[in-house]
Amino acid sequence: MSNKEVKSVNYGLEKIFEGAQDFLPLLGTDYVEFYVGNAKQAAHFYKTAFGFQSLAYKGLETGSKDTVSYVLIQDKIRLVLTSPLNSKSPINDHIVKHGDGVKIIALWVDDAKSAYKETTKRGAKSYMEPRIETDEEGEVIKAGIYTYGETVHIFIERKNYHGAFLPGFREWKSDYNPKTIGLKYIDHMVGNVGWGQMNVWVAWYEKVMGFENFLSFDDKQIHTEYSALMSKVMSNGNGRIKFPINEPAKAAKKSQIEEYLDFYEGAGVQHIAVATDDIISTVSQLKANGIEFLPPPPQAYYDDIPNRLGEHRDMMKEDIGELQKLSIMVDADEEGYLLQIFTKPIEDRPTLFFEIIQRMGAKGFGAGNFKALFESIEREQANRGTL
Ligand code: FE2
């Protein structure tokens, strides 16, 4: 996609946000919970490789007989890693079907009962009716609804709580504290849904959650020689929560979205984009810690960066050679530029991966990088025999 086309899809953010409904005010992402086969080892991985810190724990020692959870933190990002402690827990079914993956995208609200009432009234399927959980640190009100696949949104109201994380957890102090790597907050979380389902879920986020569709990419914009996909970006009223929704599109070979759906065995979270203020430092540390990234775009991609940056060329502080050495990609829109890079899947199944993103004014999602990115993914798919 040329730079000019990229600009044409980045329209009127402020105008759309003004029009967004506010029956569901969201303060931010509260936490992301993964169901995994071995939470203790997964927690070690996210500490060692991604620079997360120990925050809270629940398990046998705290009276939790069926599940164990480790909570990690880095700046505003909280991850919860949960495993079952016996064969009877329904978490087993989730892991058998999907492998390790994201179960809960928890949203921080001021009024969880209202969030539940407003969303279920508009058609959301209930996951958890509002309930109050308390301990000596105060009370939290929680309620939950299903979104795509078996993924869930839990609304968390914590204004009367002062503990480390949530009631039932105790503070987790560890002797092992690897240094943070500069991850700041979750920029966006992307869902993959099945054939013909993108617009269904776009309509669901509009109607049930009051979100707005502020960017759309069709298969004419997102394609390579072999494969294609479609994507629509949904945002809540204040713009803090962004959920792009992808669906595969017909092409000569198998789309990466189809590969995901085959291996996750249904719709689910495809990637979590986390923001940094210094992508060169963050990515250098991730590489040193053993995280693998998609192979770099070709030389011609880097030669074209000044052209791609257009009017923002003089604004860019980073050295292109250094970006190329780390395989970091660059895109620009009318408001600025952004730097981004994608990990390989971080599970055994080719499902969930992470994006590291540094925004320098740009509000887009790197549409100008889609072709180079998907060609990299296709080379990986070819290695897996799934293209
Ligand atoms: Fe992304």
Side-chain angles (χ1 to χ4, degrees):
M1 191 185 291
S2 75
N3 203 33
K4 210 168 164 200
E5 283 170 306
V6 174
K7 284 181 181 173
S8 72
V9 295
N10 195 317
Y11 55 81
L13 283 175
E14 291 75 14
K15 197 169 147 230
I16 286 169
F17 288 157
E18 271 172 29
Q21 299 169 56
D22 60 358
F23 63 81
L24 182 62
L26 300 174
L27 303 171
T29 308
D30 197 282
Y31 65 88
V32 179
E33 182 165 357
F34 298 66
Y35 282 176
V36 298
N38 189 328
K40 181 180 248 187
Q41 291 189 4
H44 191 279
F45 169 80
Y46 283 105
K47 285 173 71 171
T48 303
F50 280 89
F52 281 87
Q53 308 297 303
S54 302
L55 178 69
Y57 168 82
K58 88 172 175 188
L60 292 172
E61 299 84 347
T62 66
S64 173
K65 302 270 185 265
D66 296 320
T67 63
V68 59
S69 295
Y70 292 81
V71 188
L72 303 171
I73 188 163
Q74 188 162 184
D75 205 330
K76 292 192 171 66
I77 312 164
R78 281 190 291 235
L79 303 184
V80 182
L81 302 153
T82 296
S83 288
L85 287 169
N86 56 55
S87 63
K88 290 175 219 65
S89 166
I91 294 172
N92 291 292
D93 304 332
H94 198 276
I95 296 169
V96 167
K97 187 170 170 66
H98 304 296
D100 288 5
V102 172
K103 174 65 180 178
I104 294 164
I105 303 168
L107 301 168
W108 176 30
V109 295
D110 213 34
D111 186 341
K113 283 180 194 157
S114 162
Y116 181 83
K117 191 177 129 225
E118 295 297 331
T119 51
T120 52
K121 189 170 86 185
R122 288 170 171 82
K125 185 180 158 199
S126 174
Y127 173 75
M128 179 202 290
E129 288 192 5
R131 69 177 186 220
I132 301 173
E133 296 183 358
T134 55
D135 66 12
E136 59 278 10
E137 302 290 347
E139 71 168 41
V140 166
I141 305 176
K142 281 176 162 179
I145 58 171
Y146 280 97
T147 173
Y148 47 77
E150 293 194 296
T151 317
V152 164
H153 289 312
I154 289 189
F155 303 115
I156 302 281
E157 175 185 332
R158 52 167 71 254
K159 57 179 178 283
N160 297 315
Y161 192 69
H162 311 288
F165 179 55
L166 289 173
F169 286 81
R170 75 176 184 204
E171 198 177 354
W172 173 23
K173 286 218 165 80
S174 173
D175 293 334
Y176 177 60
N177 305 298
K179 73 178 176 102
T180 61
I181 60 158
L183 302 180
K184 315 275 293 180
Y185 61 89
I186 293 178
D187 187 275
H188 59 277
M189 288 183 69
V190 181
N192 281 345
V193 299
W195 295 95
Q197 292 298 301
M198 178 181 71
N199 285 328
V200 171
W201 287 101
V202 164
W204 186 91
Y205 274 103
E206 284 172 347
K207 183 178 150 221
V208 172
M209 306 270 289
F211 280 38
E212 297 277 353
N213 170 215
F214 84 91
L215 282 176
S216 298
F217 309 99
D218 65 20
D219 49 339
K220 285 172 202 68
Q221 291 166 301
I222 312 183
H223 69 95
T224 66
E225 195 182 341
Y226 300 118
S227 69
L229 65 86
M230 296 183 274
S231 188
K232 287 188 176 175
V233 183
M234 305 307 293
S235 172
N236 79 318
N238 63 19
R240 289 187 200 172
I241 309 288
K242 290 185 208 75
F243 294 145
I245 311 281
N246 295 334
E247 113 175 26
K250 289 231 174 330
K253 292 192 178 183
K254 196 185 245 189
S255 146
Q256 51 164 303
I257 311 302
E258 271 179 280
E259 185 197 36
Y260 175 98
L261 295 168
D262 286 352
F263 281 90
Y264 198 73
E265 299 193 16
V269 173
Q270 179 212 34
H271 74 267
I272 304 173
V274 284
T276 172
D277 286 342
D278 185 350
I279 199 167
I280 288 176
S281 161
T282 297
V283 171
S284 300
Q285 292 176 81
L286 283 166
K287 288 196 169 177
N289 296 345
I291 292 298
E292 295 180 319
F293 291 90
L294 288 175
Q299 181 62 42
Y301 172 92
Y302 286 95
D303 293 342
D304 191 44
I305 284 181
N307 186 29
R308 176 186 305 269
L309 280 166
E311 56 186 310
H312 306 302
R313 196 180 310 180
D314 298 335
M315 188 182 147
M316 192 166 107
K317 295 174 204 74
E318 295 77 11
D319 176 59
I320 293 176
E322 200 164 5
L323 296 175
Q324 183 172 12
K325 224 162 51 191
L326 293 166
S327 320
I328 293 167
M329 300 195 290
V330 186
D331 193 27
D333 62 23
E334 279 162 356
E335 289 159 279
Y337 69 99
L338 63 81
L339 304 157
Q340 63 183 169
I341 188 169
F342 299 84
T343 72
K344 290 186 180 183
I346 46 135
E347 329 286 346
D348 293 314
R349 301 190 197 189
T351 53
L352 181 74
F353 59 88
F354 277 82
E355 170 182 351
I356 313 299
I357 184 165
Q358 181 180 350
R359 292 190 181 276
M360 302 298 288
K363 294 203 174 86
F365 291 81
N369 288 329
F370 284 169
K371 192 161 192 286
L373 168 66
F374 297 152
E375 282 167 353
S376 285
I377 293 177
E378 281 171 9
R379 288 195 289 276
E380 295 293 299
Q381 280 182 266
N383 285 338
R384 293 193 282 262
T386 59
L387 182 59

